[in-house]
Amino acid sequence: DGRCAVSCDAGYASCAGACVDTDTSPPHCGACGRACAENEVCSAGACRPDCADGTLACAGSCVDPLRDPRHCGGCGSACPAPERGSATCDGGCGVACDAGFVACGERCVDVSRDVLNCGACGNACATLDRGTPVCRAGQCEIACRSGYARCGDACVDTNSAVAHCGG
């Protein structure tokens, strides 16, 4: 038919008479004539924000993967938010607790009332037969069941225990 045609190598498309890589060409991103905005780059055939060094384009925004708890370590890698606190990212996931709460691992706890962290993280209150551990003002105590009284390190039935005024 006497017309000239452009023949492009594999991986390139003929756009307006030129061979272009539509995976990386901002004026032809993903297809001929599909241009990226001025503040975007073409990556893998999609327009993305042009992010500064050390940041990533995640969900249409540039984020610092070392500081953003929604993208900690990479896009979409969200840190879990604890009850009574918020998620943080400082190169890895962490927690920031609300006032009055302390970070014990990935949880925010009230060390003045938590029987597993009474007064400090990891300080679990001991249990006794016929009693329940209680943490009051950061101090472990035992609440004996109904019908039992605390005698030393035991909850006893004072009506029947000979050593404790019982029958």
Side-chain angles (χ1 to χ4, degrees):
D1 72 353
R3 288 189 265 174
C4 293
V6 175
S7 177
C8 299
D9 291 337
Y12 289 84
S14 176
C15 297
C19 293
V20 297
D21 182 352
T22 58
D23 279 348
T24 60
S25 176
H28 307 285
C29 191
C32 293
R34 187 181 307 154
C36 294
E38 189 174 311
N39 61 344
E40 294 179 321
V41 295
C42 182
S43 176
C47 295
R48 303 183 193 284
D50 186 12
C51 298
D53 287 345
T55 63
L56 299 173
C58 297
S61 299
C62 295
V63 299
D64 181 349
L66 299 177
R67 301 274 179 252
D68 190 324
R70 295 167 297 153
H71 306 285
C72 193
C75 293
S77 181
C79 297
E83 288 185 45
R84 300 176 295 267
S86 58
T88 64
C89 177
D90 189 13
C93 290
V95 298
C97 297
D98 296 343
F101 295 90
V102 175
C104 291
E106 294 181 2
R107 296 179 53 226
C108 292
V109 300
D110 180 350
V111 294
S112 70
R113 299 179 342 159
D114 189 309
V115 295
L116 298 177
N117 302 283
C118 189
C121 293
N123 185 40
C125 296
T127 59
L128 289 178
D129 285 342
R130 300 176 292 273
T132 303
V134 177
C135 180
R136 285 192 181 102
Q139 299 295 315
C140 289
E141 298 177 9
I142 294 291
C144 292
R145 289 194 315 232
S146 179
Y148 294 88
R150 180 80 186 260
C151 291
D153 288 334
C155 289
V156 297
D157 181 349
T158 56
N159 292 321
S160 63
V162 175
H164 301 285
C165 301

